[in-house]
Amino acid sequence: MGATGSCCSCEDDLPGGADDGKRPGRETRKRSAGEFTIIIDRRSGEGLGIDASPEKNGTLEIRNITPGGLVERWNLSQPPNSQEVVQPGMRVVEVNGRYSSAVQLIAACRETEVLHITLMP
């Protein structure tokens, strides 16, 4: 995670434009096989501790997990052989109901609240 406290270090790679990242109504995304959701509490303002790159398909590819960050702590809290361990190469596909846009995902990751992050291997 960058020194600015955002969820990932990919802000410079994003196209411009103001997007509040909110979806109208109560649309739901169809889940794919193998997806799982982690719950991270960012209310203290701590960063997620991941480096991620925006992808053309509207996801974020996790490039690195920073030691000591919230995502690494999530990983360490999982039981042995858990299928819900975040690893580089996985893709963030949804955060708190936002999806289909890397801009929306990053905006959601920056919020200091409890985050429900859905990942795809």
Side-chain angles (χ1 to χ4, degrees):
M1 187 155 126
T4 61
S6 66
C7 80
C8 55
S9 63
C10 55
E11 290 81 8
D12 294 336
D13 300 333
L14 291 174
D19 184 348
D20 69 359
K22 305 238 185 233
R23 283 251 177 217
R26 294 194 174 252
E27 296 179 37
T28 56
R29 185 184 59 80
K30 185 175 179 180
R31 290 180 67 110
S32 299
E35 287 184 10
F36 62 95
T37 300
I38 66 172
I39 300 171
I40 303 285
D41 188 347
R42 284 208 64 233
R43 291 178 292 188
S44 69
E46 250 185 290
L48 291 176
I50 60 172
D51 293 322
S53 298
E55 299 294 315
K56 291 181 182 180
N57 65 1
T59 65
L60 297 173
E61 181 179 352
I62 296 176
R63 301 287 188 182
N64 184 50
I65 299 169
T66 305
L70 292 173
V71 171
E72 185 192 51
R73 282 188 253 162
W74 164 271
N75 285 346
L76 294 173
S77 74
Q78 298 307 297
N81 301 318
S82 173
Q83 299 297 309
E84 297 188 355
V85 172
V86 182
Q87 300 176 21
M90 290 184 165
R91 297 186 188 282
V92 175
V93 296
E94 182 175 336
V95 180
N96 287 6
R98 298 180 192 180
Y99 57 94
S100 298
S101 165
V103 172
Q104 291 180 0
L105 295 176
I106 291 169
C109 286
R110 288 179 175 163
E111 293 180 357
T112 52
E113 61 184 47
V114 176
L115 303 179
H116 295 256
I117 302 172
T118 302
L119 297 118
M120 181 172 51

